[in-house]
Structure formats: C-alpha cells, structure tokens
Amino acid sequence: MLSFDYRHRVRYRECDPMGVVYHTHYLDYFEIARTEALRDLGLPYAELEEAGISMPVTDVSVQYRRSATYDDVLIIRSIFPETVPVARVKIEYVVFREDVQDDVIATGHVTLCFMDTARGRPTRAPRRLVEIIERELART
Amino acid sequence: MLSFDYRHRVRYRECDPMGVVYHTHYLDYFEIARTEALRDLGLPYAELEEAGISMPVTDVSVQYRRSATYDDVLIIRSIFPETVPVARVKIEYVVFREDVQDDVIATGHVTLCFMDTARGRPTRAPRRLVEIIERELART
Amino acid sequence: MLSFDYRHRVRYRECDPMGVVYHTHYLDYFEIARTEALRDLGLPYAELEEAGISMPVTDVSVQYRRSATYDDVLIIRSIFPETVPVARVKIEYVVFREDVQDDVIATGHVTLCFMDTARGRPTRAPRRLVEIIERELART
Amino acid sequence: MLSFDYRHRVRYRECDPMGVVYHTHYLDYFEIARTEALRDLGLPYAELEEAGISMPVTDVSVQYRRSATYDDVLIIRSIFPETVPVARVKIEYVVFREDVQDDVIATGHVTLCFMDTARGRPTRAPRRLVEIIERELART
C-alpha cells in the first residue's frame, strides 16, 4: 500500500460553535496531505504546474465518524491507488488522532484529473508521475 | 419536488490561481443554501439550536463538472427528500450559473443527523421539522 | 459622505468555539462590502480587471468592540474618502447590527493601490473611477 | 527581544487569481504563529482555556510589502512586548521568506485582552503567563 501520513494540529479558526472541527475543513486537510505526499514522492505539485500540468479535482466525498477538537493532533493518511494512473487518480483518506489510531475520525476520497493548463484540456498523467508510481509500486 | 434556490455571487477570495472557484468552497455554498432553505420553510437553524437540537454533517460528496469564475452569479439548488426524515436527512444539490441553467457546474449531497446537543447523542427529527416537511410534501 | 451599506447574515462556519464571529472574517466582510460598493458606483471590479487594472491591498486594520454571533444580520458600511484617488484609496469601515445601529461591533480600514496587472507595477487610479468619484462627490 | 519563528508553507487554497497569498490569510498565519509561541513558552492556549481564560482579539493591523506565492516557505516571527502584560498583550509580527530574510513580505500586530470566560468579562493576565514572561525577560 502506497500511503503517506501528514500531521496536523487543529487550529482555533477551524472549530465551530459546537467546539469541533467544522466539516468543510477536512477537504483542506486532504489537500495539504496530498501536496506533501507528492513532495515526499519527489514530485512537488509546483513542478507539475511549471511543466504546464494542473490537477483539478473532479469529485470528493467525506464520511464523518467522530469529532476532532481544538489543539488535537491529527494524522491525515493519503492512500494512493495500486495501479498506474492514466487519465485520473483517486486518493483515499483516513483521519485519526495521533495518539488513538483505532479511532477513525473521518474517511474520504478525492479524484483528480490531469489537465494541459495552456490548452485547458484533459491530458494523460505526466510521464514523471507514472514512473514514480511504478517505482513505488515495485518497491512495496 | 421540495427545492430551494439560493443565489450567490462568487467572491475573489473563493478563487484560486487557476482563476476558478476552489473546490472546497462548494461545501460552504451548500451550507448557506440549506440554512436559507430552512429559513424559507419557517424553521431557522438558530431556532433548532435554541431548542437543544443540532444537526451535525455525517457525509458529503461533490462532483465537479465545470468551473465557476470570479463574479459569476450562481444558483445553489437544495433538493429535499420526498419522505419525512426520521434519524437523518439527505439533501441533494445542483449548482449552475443564473443565466445558463442547462450548464451544471457541480452536483453533490450532504447528509445531516439530529443530535440532542446537551446529551451529545443522536435523536429523532424534531416534531416541528417533521410537520413542516409533511405540510410541504402534501402541497407539491 | 460617500458611503455604502452591505447586509450580511453571519454564517455558522464564521463562528468559533466562543460562539462569535472569528476575528479574521471581518476582512472578508470588508472585501464583499467594497466589491458591492464599486458595483453600485457602476464600476464592477471585474471590469477593472478586464481593463488590466488590479487593486492589491497595501494595509488594513480592524478594531473589535463587540461580538457578533450566528445568524446576526450585520451592516458593513464602506466609507470612501472625500478626495479623488490618485495612487491609492483608503476605505473606512463600520460594522453594526441591522437592528441596533448605535452599537458598533467593529471598525477598520483597508488601503488599496492601483496596479498595471500586465507590467506588475503601480499605476494611477483609472480615469473611469476618478470620474465616478468626482461625480459622486459633486452630488453629496 | 522575546521572539518566536513559525515556518509555514503557502497552500494552494491560500492563493488568489493573481497567484499570490490572499491578504486575509496573514491573520491566520499570525494566529498559528502565536499559538505555537505560547506552546514553546510552556503555556498552550488550550490550557488557558481550561483554566477559564480566553484571549479575544481587540485590534489588528497588517502592512503588505511584497507578495508570497504558492509553495513559498514563510517565516512568521512573533515578537512579544518587553514588559509584563497586565490587561492586554500586543504582539508584533514580521513575515519573510525562509531563504531571503531581508525581504520583508508583511508586518503587523495583534492585540489580545484577557477574559474570564464564564463571566464574559475582562480580567488580568493569568499569573502563570506573567511568571513565564518575567522569566523569559530576565533571561534575555
């Protein structure tokens, strides 16, 4: 399984009057987690953009099981598919407290496609990303 | 069909470097749209809260079909289920430009449950909401 | 005095665990208020951008006097200077509840300059904006 | 000088159609920076809250000198006053790129007061914070 853990401490501005993380912020957590996963893989998103590729989000889902509260330390786990991406990539997420791994707070997914930024049209996964995923899948 | 339209003009802070609405903001749009739908129904969420009921979100999804850009006027349509809610309510959403109704920008759903705020436990849909939904369903 | 009132209902996501509007959101309120003020004046910001002019913010301040809570209806008043802008424009803000005008919730200011977007350099206030401000000042 | 550096990588969602950090996010950066500064001092804000003290913001300012762009690594420096706080504390901020310290991106300040949360009234700085600041000032 090709997965990456991102550690995030819950901020005051992310909590609502019920004292818990407001539900929309999990999508922000997912974004940071996959950005750092790509960086760990050796392919920062900023480099993809410079190469003329962008990755718009095509669909998302989140399932909320428990609440997180102010100052909690969360792990956002990004799980990449075990196949080489062609036109799109679907990343699964699991969120839990750093100190209580069994207690899942939320799960979800984000699907992104590849776009030729200049032409504004879909394109195939960039060669460099495909090679990295192949290398990582061979390793696991 | 029990549905409500909310009109929203896209704000600068909602747009990203690609010049389009960043994907997370659609969940904010959904929140505003259902808040105003409840108000139209005669049951503001603030009154529910005063009555000790809160409505946490249990799951969401969004499908992105087209982009919206700065200053676009969007309609966020909330579609309520045609059955009386018991333990939870699933609201469907469709987003389109005010002037181009055929061109769906995004679809999605948000499921909320009912919680007894003081006890922090699930509860049944409040009687008042049930009556309102029954009345509206009888009307359509 | 050249001023414009924008009406905003406080959203759930804008409130923090103390149950009040989190302090950063007042800058968002100011943005919406001045955007709609420019539209009222007949010069939408989107048109300025199309004409190659952008208006980056150079400095801001906010003074918080009272709290606003969920579902409050606020008036955000933008007050334009009584002189014709040359290189920058300083807008003053007052925020109060629609039903209690004497009770100021917050005050503040935002200064914006004019930038030639393509060249990335400061420029003078666009002729059209200058004419509009002159016309409005003559009227008051 | 009692100061703390917080490192933040600029997120995609923080950037606007001009490709730069939208001006409101600097207040979020300031919040994270002072939260982590308090933790470094040995007094997490969450503990203050548990002790019945909250610290509402009474006024802020930001001066914007240069732009920050996606994926930039910023240092947000919080500078505490060299006097022991009584009723309020004013924290100054300087933001610069990690690799170009001379190039100030933004400066600003945030003033917070101390509130007895249960009574909803101003109170004096908690003894523990005063002792910590005294200890740190003696050290420098």
Side-chain angles (χ1 to χ4, degrees), chain A residues 44-63:
Chain A
Y45 186 68
E47 279 184 28
L48 276 177
E49 283 217 314
E50 277 160 33
I53 305 287
S54 49
M55 292 179 66
V57 170
T58 61
D59 66 82
V60 303
S61 75
V62 193
Q63 298 79 43

Side-chain angles (χ1 to χ4, degrees), chain A residues 11-49:
Chain A
R11 300 303 168 184
Y12 205 79
R13 68 162 194 85
E14 295 166 357
C15 297
D16 70 15
M18 285 193 275
V20 303
V21 173
Y22 189 64
H23 71 283
T24 62
H25 296 298
Y26 288 86
L27 289 186
D28 292 327
Y29 297 171
F30 293 174
E31 185 222 345
I32 305 181
R34 72 177 166 270
T35 300
E36 295 310 313
L38 281 175
R39 194 185 317 281
D40 280 0
L41 280 169
L43 187 57
Y45 186 68
E47 279 184 28
L48 276 177
E49 283 217 314

Side-chain angles (χ1 to χ4, degrees), chain D residues 92-109:
Chain D
E92 307 275 353
Y93 296 91
V94 185
V95 181
F96 47 88
R97 261 186 214 88
E98 189 177 41
D99 48 358
V100 198
Q101 301 221 4
D102 298 340
D103 239 16
V104 171
I105 290 176
T107 55
H109 88 274

Side-chain angles (χ1 to χ4, degrees), chain C residues 3-126:
Chain C
S3 81
F4 298 84
D5 285 4
Y6 181 78
R7 190 179 179 275
H8 174 77
R9 191 180 280 279
V10 172
R11 301 300 168 186
Y12 206 79
R13 69 162 193 82
E14 295 166 356
C15 296
D16 70 15
M18 285 193 274
V20 302
V21 173
Y22 190 63
H23 72 282
T24 63
H25 296 298
Y26 288 86
L27 289 185
D28 292 327
Y29 296 170
F30 293 173
E31 185 222 346
I32 305 180
R34 73 176 165 270
T35 300
E36 295 310 312
L38 281 174
R39 194 184 318 281
D40 281 359
L41 280 169
L43 187 57
Y45 185 69
E47 279 184 28
L48 276 177
E49 283 216 315
E50 278 160 33
I53 304 288
S54 50
M55 291 179 64
V57 170
T58 60
D59 68 82
V60 302
S61 75
V62 193
Q63 299 79 41
Y64 306 90
R65 303 218 199 144
R66 292 176 183 281
S67 305
T69 56
Y70 174 56
D71 223 36
D72 278 352
V73 176
L74 304 180
I75 302 297
I76 298 104
R77 178 166 292 166
S78 307
I79 304 165
F80 282 70
E82 307 224 337
T83 52
V84 172
V86 180
R88 54 190 64 219
V89 58
K90 180 180 179 181
I91 305 172
E92 307 275 353
Y93 297 91
V94 185
V95 181
F96 47 89
R97 261 185 215 88
E98 189 178 40
D99 48 359
V100 199
Q101 301 221 4
D102 298 340
D103 240 17
V104 171
I105 290 176
T107 55
H109 88 274
V110 173
T111 306
L112 307 105
C113 66
F114 302 98
M115 194 172 75
D116 178 322
T117 312
R119 299 175 62 210
R121 304 202 53 173
T123 186
R124 295 170 71 93

Side-chain angles (χ1 to χ4, degrees), chain D residues 2-138:
Chain D
L2 189 53
S3 82
F4 298 84
D5 285 3
Y6 181 78
R7 190 178 178 276
H8 174 77
R9 189 180 282 277
V10 172
R11 301 301 168 186
Y12 205 78
R13 69 162 192 85
E14 295 167 357
C15 296
D16 70 14
M18 286 194 274
V20 302
V21 173
Y22 190 62
H23 71 282
T24 63
H25 295 300
Y26 288 86
L27 289 185
D28 293 326
Y29 296 170
F30 293 173
E31 184 222 345
I32 305 180
R34 73 176 164 269
T35 299
E36 295 310 312
L38 281 175
R39 193 184 318 282
D40 281 358
L41 279 169
L43 187 56
Y45 185 69
E47 280 184 27
L48 276 177
E49 283 216 316
E50 279 161 32
I53 304 287
S54 49
M55 292 178 65
V57 170
T58 61
D59 67 81
V60 302
S61 74
V62 193
Q63 298 79 43
Y64 305 90
R65 304 219 198 141
R66 292 175 183 282
S67 307
T69 57
Y70 174 55
D71 223 36
D72 278 352
V73 176
L74 304 181
I75 302 297
I76 297 103
R77 178 166 293 165
S78 307
I79 304 165
F80 282 69
E82 307 224 338
T83 52
V84 172
V86 181
R88 54 190 62 221
V89 57
K90 181 180 178 182
I91 306 172
E92 307 275 353
Y93 296 91
V94 185
V95 181
F96 47 88
R97 261 186 214 88
E98 189 177 41
D99 48 358
V100 198
Q101 301 221 4
D102 298 340
D103 239 16
V104 171
I105 290 176
T107 55
H109 88 274
V110 172
T111 306
L112 307 104
C113 65
F114 302 97
M115 194 172 78
D116 180 321
T117 312
R119 300 175 61 213
R121 305 201 53 173
T123 186
R124 295 171 71 93
R127 192 188 182 78
R128 184 115 175 269
L129 180 64
V130 169
E131 285 170 359
I132 284 171
I133 300 275
E134 282 174 343
R135 180 195 72 200
E136 292 296 321
L137 291 178

